[in-house]
Amino acid sequence: MPRLVEKEHSMRTPSLFPTYFISHGGGPWPWMKREMGDAYAQLEASLADIPRQIGRTPRAILMVSAHWEMPAFTVQGSAKPPMIYDYGGFPAHTYQVHYDAPGSPELARRVQQLIATAGLPAGFDAERGFDHGTFSPMAAIYPNADVPVVQLSLKRGLDPAEHLALGRALAPLRGEDVLVVGSGLSYHNLRNFGPQARDVSRAFDDWLDASVVQAAPGERTARLIDWAAAPAARMAHPREEHLIPLMVAVGAAESEAGERIYHETDFMGGIAVSSFRFGAL
């Protein structure tokens, strides 16, 4: 099993990794190319480019998935996480797919410690598996499943300030060769998808880019706390679980610049979607 701490790295201090907020797509899309054609080609290319961007292989990835909510921030502690097929109505073969990356109980305990030290509620789940908010994008980022991955839950209530605080608590991991990724979707309204969502998705996407890329860091934080006042906010996110991982990624790089690394204006027939990176490379 890959170790979080390796002897050959013990004498150096690595530069800080950036953090990411990625749009993870719908369900088990990497295993549905025959059915979906090139619908995910641009998203897949953007995810596959992350290893090139960061320039070195992380010792582990901490993935904050939109598909896991708990009463307290809870860390996945399994050394060999199982699969959670948390979707419905997809082809039978997508309920047999596997992404067999190892977990890292060592990193999980470190994450739990950082969260608790920050005065936030911190739980540990030794049985939790990978949901599609993790295994679908990871199949594009590291298709060989050879980098340890640990999931971290959202906290019920989905308070943006609490999740920004979570990101601040996790910031030390960036200097420990751990890549922090928030996995959600920049637009997530399954009842208003396709061409009819073109205008509202673009309005929110424009606000998102202005807030996390163009705004100064202090203004960015204030805008994210008050995100529900954004144009078309509740049309883009009737429930905000797919947006809240962004707060964690921003909190962990709060004083640093943001950059949009993926953008489509015609995703799934009309949706504007984006992914972002925070912190220098």
PDB file of all heavy atoms in Angstrom, residues 183-214:
ATOM      1  N   SER A 183     -15.281  18.344  -4.977  1.00  0.00           N
ATOM      2  CA  SER A 183     -15.922  17.710  -6.120  1.00  0.00           C
ATOM      3  C   SER A 183     -17.422  17.959  -6.082  1.00  0.00           C
ATOM      4  O   SER A 183     -18.128  17.474  -5.197  1.00  0.00           O
ATOM      5  CB  SER A 183     -15.644  16.200  -6.102  1.00  0.00           C
ATOM      6  OG  SER A 183     -16.332  15.541  -7.140  1.00  0.00           O
ATOM      7  N   GLY A 184     -17.903  18.726  -7.043  1.00  0.00           N
ATOM      8  CA  GLY A 184     -19.334  19.019  -7.117  1.00  0.00           C
ATOM      9  C   GLY A 184     -19.736  19.310  -8.550  1.00  0.00           C
ATOM     10  O   GLY A 184     -19.310  18.643  -9.474  1.00  0.00           O
ATOM     11  N   LEU A 185     -20.554  20.322  -8.740  1.00  0.00           N
ATOM     12  CA  LEU A 185     -20.919  20.817 -10.065  1.00  0.00           C
ATOM     13  C   LEU A 185     -21.217  22.305  -9.922  1.00  0.00           C
ATOM     14  O   LEU A 185     -21.894  22.714  -8.968  1.00  0.00           O
ATOM     15  CB  LEU A 185     -22.156  20.106 -10.619  1.00  0.00           C
ATOM     16  CG  LEU A 185     -21.974  18.702 -11.192  1.00  0.00           C
ATOM     17  CD1 LEU A 185     -23.329  18.049 -11.415  1.00  0.00           C
ATOM     18  CD2 LEU A 185     -21.219  18.755 -12.513  1.00  0.00           C
ATOM     19  N   SER A 186     -20.737  23.096 -10.868  1.00  0.00           N
ATOM     20  CA  SER A 186     -20.986  24.530 -10.755  1.00  0.00           C
ATOM     21  C   SER A 186     -22.435  24.891 -11.059  1.00  0.00           C
ATOM     22  O   SER A 186     -22.904  25.960 -10.670  1.00  0.00           O
ATOM     23  CB  SER A 186     -20.038  25.306 -11.671  1.00  0.00           C
ATOM     24  OG  SER A 186     -20.247  24.943 -13.029  1.00  0.00           O
ATOM     25  N   TYR A 187     -23.152  23.999 -11.746  1.00  0.00           N
ATOM     26  CA  TYR A 187     -24.595  24.133 -11.955  1.00  0.00           C
ATOM     27  C   TYR A 187     -25.220  22.782 -11.651  1.00  0.00           C
ATOM     28  O   TYR A 187     -24.803  21.762 -12.202  1.00  0.00           O
ATOM     29  CB  TYR A 187     -24.906  24.535 -13.404  1.00  0.00           C
ATOM     30  CG  TYR A 187     -26.393  24.634 -13.690  1.00  0.00           C
ATOM     31  CD1 TYR A 187     -27.061  25.836 -13.529  1.00  0.00           C
ATOM     32  CD2 TYR A 187     -27.128  23.520 -14.099  1.00  0.00           C
ATOM     33  CE1 TYR A 187     -28.434  25.931 -13.769  1.00  0.00           C
ATOM     34  CE2 TYR A 187     -28.484  23.602 -14.340  1.00  0.00           C
ATOM     35  CZ  TYR A 187     -29.142  24.810 -14.176  1.00  0.00           C
ATOM     36  OH  TYR A 187     -30.485  24.896 -14.402  1.00  0.00           O
ATOM     37  N   HIS A 188     -26.235  22.763 -10.765  1.00  0.00           N
ATOM     38  CA  HIS A 188     -26.833  21.473 -10.409  1.00  0.00           C
ATOM     39  C   HIS A 188     -28.321  21.653 -10.118  1.00  0.00           C
ATOM     40  O   HIS A 188     -28.738  21.824  -8.973  1.00  0.00           O
ATOM     41  CB  HIS A 188     -26.129  20.864  -9.195  1.00  0.00           C
ATOM     42  CG  HIS A 188     -26.498  19.428  -8.963  1.00  0.00           C
ATOM     43  ND1 HIS A 188     -27.374  19.035  -7.971  1.00  0.00           N
ATOM     44  CD2 HIS A 188     -26.114  18.293  -9.596  1.00  0.00           C
ATOM     45  CE1 HIS A 188     -27.509  17.712  -8.004  1.00  0.00           C
ATOM     46  NE2 HIS A 188     -26.757  17.247  -8.982  1.00  0.00           N
ATOM     47  N   ASN A 189     -29.075  21.645 -11.182  1.00  0.00           N
ATOM     48  CA  ASN A 189     -30.535  21.675 -11.078  1.00  0.00           C
ATOM     49  C   ASN A 189     -31.061  20.653 -12.071  1.00  0.00           C
ATOM     50  O   ASN A 189     -31.261  20.949 -13.246  1.00  0.00           O
ATOM     51  CB  ASN A 189     -31.089  23.066 -11.372  1.00  0.00           C
ATOM     52  CG  ASN A 189     -32.605  23.144 -11.184  1.00  0.00           C
ATOM     53  OD1 ASN A 189     -33.287  22.118 -11.094  1.00  0.00           O
ATOM     54  ND2 ASN A 189     -33.134  24.354 -11.125  1.00  0.00           N
ATOM     55  N   LEU A 190     -31.263  19.431 -11.608  1.00  0.00           N
ATOM     56  CA  LEU A 190     -31.629  18.343 -12.507  1.00  0.00           C
ATOM     57  C   LEU A 190     -33.034  18.497 -13.073  1.00  0.00           C
ATOM     58  O   LEU A 190     -33.389  17.820 -14.044  1.00  0.00           O
ATOM     59  CB  LEU A 190     -31.491  17.003 -11.784  1.00  0.00           C
ATOM     60  CG  LEU A 190     -30.074  16.683 -11.278  1.00  0.00           C
ATOM     61  CD1 LEU A 190     -30.036  15.305 -10.638  1.00  0.00           C
ATOM     62  CD2 LEU A 190     -29.044  16.791 -12.386  1.00  0.00           C
ATOM     63  N   ARG A 191     -33.839  19.393 -12.504  1.00  0.00           N
ATOM     64  CA  ARG A 191     -35.177  19.648 -13.040  1.00  0.00           C
ATOM     65  C   ARG A 191     -35.167  20.758 -14.087  1.00  0.00           C
ATOM     66  O   ARG A 191     -36.203  21.030 -14.700  1.00  0.00           O
ATOM     67  CB  ARG A 191     -36.139  20.007 -11.898  1.00  0.00           C
ATOM     68  CG  ARG A 191     -36.340  18.866 -10.921  1.00  0.00           C
ATOM     69  CD  ARG A 191     -37.473  19.141  -9.962  1.00  0.00           C
ATOM     70  NE  ARG A 191     -37.722  18.011  -9.077  1.00  0.00           N
ATOM     71  CZ  ARG A 191     -38.781  17.884  -8.296  1.00  0.00           C
ATOM     72  NH1 ARG A 191     -39.713  18.827  -8.308  1.00  0.00           N
ATOM     73  NH2 ARG A 191     -38.928  16.834  -7.513  1.00  0.00           N
ATOM     74  N   ASN A 192     -34.059  21.407 -14.242  1.00  0.00           N
ATOM     75  CA  ASN A 192     -33.944  22.470 -15.244  1.00  0.00           C
ATOM     76  C   ASN A 192     -32.597  22.313 -15.933  1.00  0.00           C
ATOM     77  O   ASN A 192     -31.615  22.970 -15.598  1.00  0.00           O
ATOM     78  CB  ASN A 192     -34.056  23.846 -14.591  1.00  0.00           C
ATOM     79  CG  ASN A 192     -34.183  24.947 -15.635  1.00  0.00           C
ATOM     80  OD1 ASN A 192     -34.815  24.773 -16.673  1.00  0.00           O
ATOM     81  ND2 ASN A 192     -33.566  26.088 -15.353  1.00  0.00           N
ATOM     82  N   PHE A 193     -32.559  21.374 -16.875  1.00  0.00           N
ATOM     83  CA  PHE A 193     -31.324  21.014 -17.553  1.00  0.00           C
ATOM     84  C   PHE A 193     -31.534  21.130 -19.053  1.00  0.00           C
ATOM     85  O   PHE A 193     -32.671  21.077 -19.544  1.00  0.00           O
ATOM     86  CB  PHE A 193     -30.937  19.574 -17.185  1.00  0.00           C
ATOM     87  CG  PHE A 193     -29.478  19.405 -16.846  1.00  0.00           C
ATOM     88  CD1 PHE A 193     -28.978  19.893 -15.655  1.00  0.00           C
ATOM     89  CD2 PHE A 193     -28.618  18.751 -17.710  1.00  0.00           C
ATOM     90  CE1 PHE A 193     -27.640  19.736 -15.321  1.00  0.00           C
ATOM     91  CE2 PHE A 193     -27.282  18.592 -17.400  1.00  0.00           C
ATOM     92  CZ  PHE A 193     -26.788  19.090 -16.202  1.00  0.00           C
ATOM     93  N   GLY A 194     -30.461  21.299 -19.784  1.00  0.00           N
ATOM     94  CA  GLY A 194     -30.571  21.376 -21.232  1.00  0.00           C
ATOM     95  C   GLY A 194     -30.770  22.802 -21.719  1.00  0.00           C
ATOM     96  O   GLY A 194     -30.482  23.772 -21.008  1.00  0.00           O
ATOM     97  N   PRO A 195     -31.296  22.983 -22.936  1.00  0.00           N
ATOM     98  CA  PRO A 195     -31.388  24.325 -23.530  1.00  0.00           C
ATOM     99  C   PRO A 195     -32.179  25.325 -22.694  1.00  0.00           C
ATOM    100  O   PRO A 195     -31.855  26.513 -22.695  1.00  0.00           O
ATOM    101  CB  PRO A 195     -32.099  24.057 -24.867  1.00  0.00           C
ATOM    102  CG  PRO A 195     -31.779  22.632 -25.182  1.00  0.00           C
ATOM    103  CD  PRO A 195     -31.723  21.923 -23.863  1.00  0.00           C
ATOM    104  N   GLN A 196     -33.186  24.864 -21.972  1.00  0.00           N
ATOM    105  CA  GLN A 196     -33.995  25.801 -21.192  1.00  0.00           C
ATOM    106  C   GLN A 196     -33.231  26.407 -20.016  1.00  0.00           C
ATOM    107  O   GLN A 196     -33.665  27.404 -19.433  1.00  0.00           O
ATOM    108  CB  GLN A 196     -35.273  25.115 -20.680  1.00  0.00           C
ATOM    109  CG  GLN A 196     -35.051  24.048 -19.622  1.00  0.00           C
ATOM    110  CD  GLN A 196     -34.826  22.671 -20.230  1.00  0.00           C
ATOM    111  OE1 GLN A 196     -34.472  22.550 -21.410  1.00  0.00           O
ATOM    112  NE2 GLN A 196     -35.047  21.636 -19.435  1.00  0.00           N
ATOM    113  N   ALA A 197     -32.090  25.805 -19.667  1.00  0.00           N
ATOM    114  CA  ALA A 197     -31.282  26.317 -18.561  1.00  0.00           C
ATOM    115  C   ALA A 197     -30.137  27.204 -19.032  1.00  0.00           C
ATOM    116  O   ALA A 197     -29.314  27.635 -18.230  1.00  0.00           O
ATOM    117  CB  ALA A 197     -30.727  25.153 -17.743  1.00  0.00           C
ATOM    118  N   ARG A 198     -30.096  27.488 -20.321  1.00  0.00           N
ATOM    119  CA  ARG A 198     -28.957  28.227 -20.878  1.00  0.00           C
ATOM    120  C   ARG A 198     -28.746  29.565 -20.177  1.00  0.00           C
ATOM    121  O   ARG A 198     -27.648  29.885 -19.716  1.00  0.00           O
ATOM    122  CB  ARG A 198     -29.170  28.434 -22.376  1.00  0.00           C
ATOM    123  CG  ARG A 198     -27.976  29.027 -23.098  1.00  0.00           C
ATOM    124  CD  ARG A 198     -28.278  29.205 -24.593  1.00  0.00           C
ATOM    125  NE  ARG A 198     -28.725  27.952 -25.194  1.00  0.00           N
ATOM    126  CZ  ARG A 198     -27.907  27.020 -25.666  1.00  0.00           C
ATOM    127  NH1 ARG A 198     -26.605  27.199 -25.606  1.00  0.00           N
ATOM    128  NH2 ARG A 198     -28.394  25.901 -26.200  1.00  0.00           N
ATOM    129  N   ASP A 199     -29.791  30.363 -20.082  1.00  0.00           N
ATOM    130  CA  ASP A 199     -29.630  31.724 -19.549  1.00  0.00           C
ATOM    131  C   ASP A 199     -29.313  31.720 -18.064  1.00  0.00           C
ATOM    132  O   ASP A 199     -28.426  32.457 -17.608  1.00  0.00           O
ATOM    133  CB  ASP A 199     -30.884  32.543 -19.828  1.00  0.00           C
ATOM    134  CG  ASP A 199     -31.059  32.861 -21.311  1.00  0.00           C
ATOM    135  OD1 ASP A 199     -30.080  32.725 -22.068  1.00  0.00           O
ATOM    136  OD2 ASP A 199     -32.188  33.218 -21.706  1.00  0.00           O
ATOM    137  N   VAL A 200     -30.040  30.904 -17.283  1.00  0.00           N
ATOM    138  CA  VAL A 200     -29.800  30.932 -15.837  1.00  0.00           C
ATOM    139  C   VAL A 200     -28.431  30.348 -15.491  1.00  0.00           C
ATOM    140  O   VAL A 200     -27.745  30.835 -14.594  1.00  0.00           O
ATOM    141  CB  VAL A 200     -30.922  30.203 -15.063  1.00  0.00           C
ATOM    142  CG1 VAL A 200     -32.234  30.955 -15.210  1.00  0.00           C
ATOM    143  CG2 VAL A 200     -31.059  28.751 -15.483  1.00  0.00           C
ATOM    144  N   SER A 201     -28.017  29.312 -16.215  1.00  0.00           N
ATOM    145  CA  SER A 201     -26.708  28.731 -15.911  1.00  0.00           C
ATOM    146  C   SER A 201     -25.589  29.701 -16.255  1.00  0.00           C
ATOM    147  O   SER A 201     -24.598  29.810 -15.525  1.00  0.00           O
ATOM    148  CB  SER A 201     -26.510  27.405 -16.644  1.00  0.00           C
ATOM    149  OG  SER A 201     -26.424  27.566 -18.037  1.00  0.00           O
ATOM    150  N   ARG A 202     -25.741  30.449 -17.335  1.00  0.00           N
ATOM    151  CA  ARG A 202     -24.714  31.423 -17.702  1.00  0.00           C
ATOM    152  C   ARG A 202     -24.684  32.588 -16.727  1.00  0.00           C
ATOM    153  O   ARG A 202     -23.605  33.110 -16.402  1.00  0.00           O
ATOM    154  CB  ARG A 202     -24.943  31.911 -19.126  1.00  0.00           C
ATOM    155  CG  ARG A 202     -24.628  30.847 -20.171  1.00  0.00           C
ATOM    156  CD  ARG A 202     -24.730  31.364 -21.585  1.00  0.00           C
ATOM    157  NE  ARG A 202     -24.450  30.295 -22.543  1.00  0.00           N
ATOM    158  CZ  ARG A 202     -24.423  30.431 -23.851  1.00  0.00           C
ATOM    159  NH1 ARG A 202     -24.681  31.619 -24.384  1.00  0.00           N
ATOM    160  NH2 ARG A 202     -24.166  29.408 -24.640  1.00  0.00           N
ATOM    161  N   ALA A 203     -25.846  33.012 -16.263  1.00  0.00           N
ATOM    162  CA  ALA A 203     -25.877  34.109 -15.296  1.00  0.00           C
ATOM    163  C   ALA A 203     -25.131  33.727 -14.025  1.00  0.00           C
ATOM    164  O   ALA A 203     -24.331  34.517 -13.494  1.00  0.00           O
ATOM    165  CB  ALA A 203     -27.325  34.482 -14.978  1.00  0.00           C
ATOM    166  N   PHE A 204     -25.382  32.521 -13.534  1.00  0.00           N
ATOM    167  CA  PHE A 204     -24.694  32.101 -12.318  1.00  0.00           C
ATOM    168  C   PHE A 204     -23.217  31.841 -12.589  1.00  0.00           C
ATOM    169  O   PHE A 204     -22.356  32.180 -11.762  1.00  0.00           O
ATOM    170  CB  PHE A 204     -25.353  30.854 -11.724  1.00  0.00           C
ATOM    171  CG  PHE A 204     -24.764  30.465 -10.397  1.00  0.00           C
ATOM    172  CD1 PHE A 204     -25.083  31.178  -9.254  1.00  0.00           C
ATOM    173  CD2 PHE A 204     -23.884  29.391 -10.283  1.00  0.00           C
ATOM    174  CE1 PHE A 204     -24.531  30.848  -8.021  1.00  0.00           C
ATOM    175  CE2 PHE A 204     -23.340  29.046  -9.063  1.00  0.00           C
ATOM    176  CZ  PHE A 204     -23.662  29.779  -7.926  1.00  0.00           C
ATOM    177  N   ASP A 205     -22.911  31.250 -13.734  1.00  0.00           N
ATOM    178  CA  ASP A 205     -21.521  30.964 -14.062  1.00  0.00           C
ATOM    179  C   ASP A 205     -20.709  32.246 -14.198  1.00  0.00           C
ATOM    180  O   ASP A 205     -19.548  32.311 -13.755  1.00  0.00           O
ATOM    181  CB  ASP A 205     -21.459  30.146 -15.354  1.00  0.00           C
ATOM    182  CG  ASP A 205     -20.105  29.507 -15.571  1.00  0.00           C
ATOM    183  OD1 ASP A 205     -19.825  28.492 -14.926  1.00  0.00           O
ATOM    184  OD2 ASP A 205     -19.327  30.035 -16.388  1.00  0.00           O
ATOM    185  N   ASP A 206     -21.297  33.280 -14.771  1.00  0.00           N
ATOM    186  CA  ASP A 206     -20.618  34.574 -14.873  1.00  0.00           C
ATOM    187  C   ASP A 206     -20.332  35.140 -13.489  1.00  0.00           C
ATOM    188  O   ASP A 206     -19.250  35.687 -13.226  1.00  0.00           O
ATOM    189  CB  ASP A 206     -21.458  35.567 -15.678  1.00  0.00           C
ATOM    190  CG  ASP A 206     -21.484  35.260 -17.166  1.00  0.00           C
ATOM    191  OD1 ASP A 206     -20.664  34.438 -17.622  1.00  0.00           O
ATOM    192  OD2 ASP A 206     -22.345  35.838 -17.873  1.00  0.00           O
ATOM    193  N   TRP A 207     -21.318  35.040 -12.600  1.00  0.00           N
ATOM    194  CA  TRP A 207     -21.112  35.513 -11.222  1.00  0.00           C
ATOM    195  C   TRP A 207     -20.013  34.709 -10.537  1.00  0.00           C
ATOM    196  O   TRP A 207     -19.165  35.272  -9.818  1.00  0.00           O
ATOM    197  CB  TRP A 207     -22.420  35.390 -10.422  1.00  0.00           C
ATOM    198  CG  TRP A 207     -22.232  35.743  -8.976  1.00  0.00           C
ATOM    199  CD1 TRP A 207     -22.342  36.995  -8.421  1.00  0.00           C
ATOM    200  CD2 TRP A 207     -21.890  34.846  -7.909  1.00  0.00           C
ATOM    201  NE1 TRP A 207     -22.076  36.923  -7.072  1.00  0.00           N
ATOM    202  CE2 TRP A 207     -21.806  35.623  -6.730  1.00  0.00           C
ATOM    203  CE3 TRP A 207     -21.660  33.475  -7.833  1.00  0.00           C
ATOM    204  CZ2 TRP A 207     -21.490  35.064  -5.496  1.00  0.00           C
ATOM    205  CZ3 TRP A 207     -21.342  32.918  -6.599  1.00  0.00           C
ATOM    206  CH2 TRP A 207     -21.253  33.705  -5.450  1.00  0.00           C
ATOM    207  N   LEU A 208     -20.013  33.411 -10.763  1.00  0.00           N
ATOM    208  CA  LEU A 208     -19.024  32.551 -10.124  1.00  0.00           C
ATOM    209  C   LEU A 208     -17.617  32.929 -10.569  1.00  0.00           C
ATOM    210  O   LEU A 208     -16.703  33.064  -9.734  1.00  0.00           O
ATOM    211  CB  LEU A 208     -19.331  31.093 -10.479  1.00  0.00           C
ATOM    212  CG  LEU A 208     -18.760  29.992  -9.599  1.00  0.00           C
ATOM    213  CD1 LEU A 208     -19.175  30.168  -8.157  1.00  0.00           C
ATOM    214  CD2 LEU A 208     -19.219  28.632 -10.126  1.00  0.00           C
ATOM    215  N   ASP A 209     -17.426  33.133 -11.857  1.00  0.00           N
ATOM    216  CA  ASP A 209     -16.106  33.527 -12.349  1.00  0.00           C
ATOM    217  C   ASP A 209     -15.702  34.888 -11.790  1.00  0.00           C
ATOM    218  O   ASP A 209     -14.558  35.083 -11.359  1.00  0.00           O
ATOM    219  CB  ASP A 209     -16.106  33.547 -13.873  1.00  0.00           C
ATOM    220  CG  ASP A 209     -14.729  33.841 -14.439  1.00  0.00           C
ATOM    221  OD1 ASP A 209     -13.805  33.033 -14.200  1.00  0.00           O
ATOM    222  OD2 ASP A 209     -14.558  34.878 -15.112  1.00  0.00           O
ATOM    223  N   ALA A 210     -16.624  35.840 -11.771  1.00  0.00           N
ATOM    224  CA  ALA A 210     -16.319  37.161 -11.224  1.00  0.00           C
ATOM    225  C   ALA A 210     -15.961  37.078  -9.747  1.00  0.00           C
ATOM    226  O   ALA A 210     -15.099  37.827  -9.261  1.00  0.00           O
ATOM    227  CB  ALA A 210     -17.509  38.105 -11.423  1.00  0.00           C
ATOM    228  N   SER A 211     -16.598  36.159  -9.034  1.00  0.00           N
ATOM    229  CA  SER A 211     -16.410  36.066  -7.589  1.00  0.00           C
ATOM    230  C   SER A 211     -15.141  35.346  -7.197  1.00  0.00           C
ATOM    231  O   SER A 211     -14.445  35.758  -6.260  1.00  0.00           O
ATOM    232  CB  SER A 211     -17.623  35.359  -6.960  1.00  0.00           C
ATOM    233  OG  SER A 211     -18.796  36.109  -7.182  1.00  0.00           O
ATOM    234  N   VAL A 212     -14.807  34.252  -7.888  1.00  0.00           N
ATOM    235  CA  VAL A 212     -13.682  33.439  -7.419  1.00  0.00           C
ATOM    236  C   VAL A 212     -12.402  33.660  -8.216  1.00  0.00           C
ATOM    237  O   VAL A 212     -11.318  33.277  -7.762  1.00  0.00           O
ATOM    238  CB  VAL A 212     -14.026  31.935  -7.386  1.00  0.00           C
ATOM    239  CG1 VAL A 212     -15.248  31.692  -6.527  1.00  0.00           C
ATOM    240  CG2 VAL A 212     -14.210  31.363  -8.774  1.00  0.00           C
ATOM    241  N   VAL A 213     -12.501  34.301  -9.386  1.00  0.00           N
ATOM    242  CA  VAL A 213     -11.303  34.579 -10.187  1.00  0.00           C
ATOM    243  C   VAL A 213     -10.974  36.063 -10.178  1.00  0.00           C
ATOM    244  O   VAL A 213      -9.828  36.460  -9.926  1.00  0.00           O
ATOM    245  CB  VAL A 213     -11.490  34.085 -11.637  1.00  0.00           C
ATOM    246  CG1 VAL A 213     -10.293  34.484 -12.500  1.00  0.00           C
ATOM    247  CG2 VAL A 213     -11.670  32.575 -11.661  1.00  0.00           C
ATOM    248  N   GLN A 214     -11.962  36.898 -10.431  1.00  0.00           N
ATOM    249  CA  GLN A 214     -11.698  38.322 -10.603  1.00  0.00           C
ATOM    250  C   GLN A 214     -11.692  39.103  -9.296  1.00  0.00           C
ATOM    251  O   GLN A 214     -10.986  40.112  -9.178  1.00  0.00           O
ATOM    252  CB  GLN A 214     -12.729  38.911 -11.561  1.00  0.00           C
ATOM    253  CG  GLN A 214     -12.708  38.259 -12.949  1.00  0.00           C
ATOM    254  CD  GLN A 214     -13.853  38.728 -13.821  1.00  0.00           C
ATOM    255  OE1 GLN A 214     -14.263  39.882 -13.757  1.00  0.00           O
ATOM    256  NE2 GLN A 214     -14.375  37.838 -14.650  1.00  0.00           N
TER     257      GLN A 214
END
